[in-house]
């Protein structure tokens, strides 16, 4: 890729009291082998040292925004995306990490696949140290028109995706959700777009007790139940089966009880 043709990539971080792992997270972005990027840091009314930590980096590519009121994750994410300027959008959470060639590898894929608009990759899961991690996706994963596969088993990690800006002309994250907004976004995008997969582990998901989906499994269940009720008729009319999703909800409810 010639230097003059290098597109700007926007990295979106939404932060609410994320000081614990923030330094490592930011370092994994600013140390990317691909340098033509901007980091949109949306401080969602943090009350810890998050602002101090991000400002210590003194990197001109970092653009800091402070929210005067606390917003839902997906409303904050939409606002951050609206502040970005990149041709491509990527997302990282404050407790997770990237391989230093994550952006470079994904842009190489887009360069070779001109019709691609949405790309996800494999990733690692770790608890204490990324040197002691496990590969998340161990079998061949779907690409193309994958709506049914996503309904069967959502395998896309938000920290792995790279999306062309044009996608956000038609889709946003649903701010009514607290946890499942990623899933809702993938399903909506997949109905009219091919979703591509790069079989490389390029990100690290940190598992810890503070992960929202682990803390509030009751909200997780309620949001999925509401989503199922709203979307069942439309998706069924398009020929998609929601059997596996319904089975998942039943199992999740049993787990809570």
């Amino acid at each position: 890729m010639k230097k003059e043709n290098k597109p700007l990539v926007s990295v979106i971080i939404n932060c609410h009291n994320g000081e614990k792992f923030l330094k490592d997270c930011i370092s994994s972005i600013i140390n990317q082998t691909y340098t033509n990027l901007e980091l949109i840091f949306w401080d969602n009314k943090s009350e810890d040292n998050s602002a101090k930590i991000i400002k210590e980096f003194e990197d001109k590519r970092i653009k800091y925004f402070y929210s005067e009121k606390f917003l839902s994750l997906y409303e904050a994410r939409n606002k951050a995306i609206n502040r970005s300027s990149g041709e491509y959008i990527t997302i990282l959470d404050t407790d997770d990490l990237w391989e230093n060639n994550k952006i470079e590898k994904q842009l190489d894929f887009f360069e070779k696949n001109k019709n691609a608009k949405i790309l996800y990759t494999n990733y690692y899961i770790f608890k204490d140290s990324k040197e002691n991690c496990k590969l998340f996706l161990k079998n061949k994963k779907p690409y193309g028109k994958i709506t049914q596969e996503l309904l069967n088993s959502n395998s896309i990690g938000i920290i792995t995706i790279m999306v062309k800006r044009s996608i956000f002309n038609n889709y946003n994250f649903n701010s009514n959700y607290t946890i499942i907004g990623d899933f809702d976004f993938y399903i909506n995008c997949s109905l009219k777009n091919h979703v591509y997969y790069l079989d490389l582990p390029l990100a690290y998901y940190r598992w810890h007790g503070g992960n929202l989906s682990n803390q509030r499994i009751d909200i997780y269940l309620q949001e999925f139940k509401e989503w199922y009720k709203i979307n069942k008729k439309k998706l069924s009319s398009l020929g998609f089966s929601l059997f596996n999703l319904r089975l998942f909800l039943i199992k999740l409810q049993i787990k809570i009880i």
Side-chain angles (χ1 to χ4, degrees), residues 118-133:
I118 307 171
L119 174 65
Y120 74 107
T121 78
N122 206 340
Y123 62 99
Y124 296 108
I125 297 179
F126 74 104
K127 187 174 182 180
D128 300 315
S129 169
K130 73 174 189 177
E131 281 68 41
N132 184 22
C133 60

Side-chain angles (χ1 to χ4, degrees), residues 15-216:
C15 174
H16 176 68
N17 296 337
E19 66 177 3
K20 187 173 182 180
F21 305 113
L22 186 56
K23 186 174 181 180
D24 288 343
C25 171
I26 301 302
S27 295
S28 78
I29 297 171
I30 64 173
N31 292 327
Q32 287 288 302
T33 55
Y34 186 87
T35 59
N36 191 26
L37 61 86
E38 62 174 6
L39 170 52
I40 306 298
F41 189 91
W42 187 272
D43 187 341
N44 197 9
K45 204 173 175 58
S46 295
E47 298 173 343
D48 62 358
N49 291 315
S50 294
K52 179 181 178 182
I53 292 170
I54 188 70
K55 291 175 182 178
E56 285 176 348
F57 281 93
E58 297 183 346
D59 191 309
K60 293 181 179 179
R61 297 173 298 175
I62 298 175
K63 300 178 181 179
Y64 176 87
F65 300 93
Y66 182 79
S67 179
E68 295 298 328
K69 65 177 182 178
F70 179 78
L71 305 173
S72 71
L73 169 61
Y74 296 106
E75 184 178 2
R77 191 169 282 169
N78 287 334
K79 286 186 177 293
I81 290 170
N82 289 338
R83 298 279 188 155
S84 68
S85 303
E87 183 179 342
Y88 294 90
I89 308 293
T90 59
I91 295 171
L92 186 60
D93 293 329
T94 57
D95 42 5
D96 300 325
L97 306 167
W98 281 346
E99 290 280 16
N100 65 359
N101 62 349
K102 192 258 189 188
I103 292 178
E104 179 183 357
K105 289 294 185 182
Q106 289 188 292
L107 284 179
D108 285 345
F109 183 95
F110 278 108
E111 180 70 15
K112 296 172 183 176
N113 299 270
K114 298 296 186 180
N115 294 325
K117 293 182 179 180
I118 307 171
L119 174 65
Y120 74 107
T121 78
N122 206 340
Y123 62 99
Y124 296 108
I125 297 179
F126 74 104
K127 187 174 182 180
D128 300 315
S129 169
K130 73 174 189 177
E131 281 68 41
N132 184 22
C133 60
K134 295 182 179 180
L135 195 64
F136 180 68
L137 305 175
K138 297 181 181 180
N139 300 314
K140 186 176 180 180
K141 291 304 163 185
Y143 62 91
K145 300 294 287 185
I146 65 169
T147 304
Q148 186 61 63
E149 285 83 354
L150 293 175
L151 290 169
N152 292 343
S153 176
N154 178 24
S155 57
I156 300 179
I158 191 68
I159 62 173
T160 77
I161 68 167
M162 180 176 282
V163 182
K164 279 195 172 181
R165 172 168 294 278
S166 58
I167 287 292
F168 290 99
N169 294 333
N170 299 310
Y171 309 99
N172 287 310
F173 292 100
N174 188 330
S175 59
N176 292 323
Y177 295 124
T178 301
I179 298 177
I180 70 162
D182 300 348
F183 171 79
D184 176 72
F185 177 77
Y186 304 148
I187 294 294
N188 287 329
C189 291
S190 71
L191 289 172
K192 294 185 177 180
N193 298 276
H194 281 72
V195 178
Y196 290 78
Y197 174 65
L198 178 60
D199 193 18
L200 291 172
L202 297 177
Y204 294 83
Y205 174 83
R206 188 191 306 267
W207 188 93
H208 56 85
N211 298 112
L212 185 57
S213 58
N214 295 325
Q215 284 185 320
R216 299 307 307 272

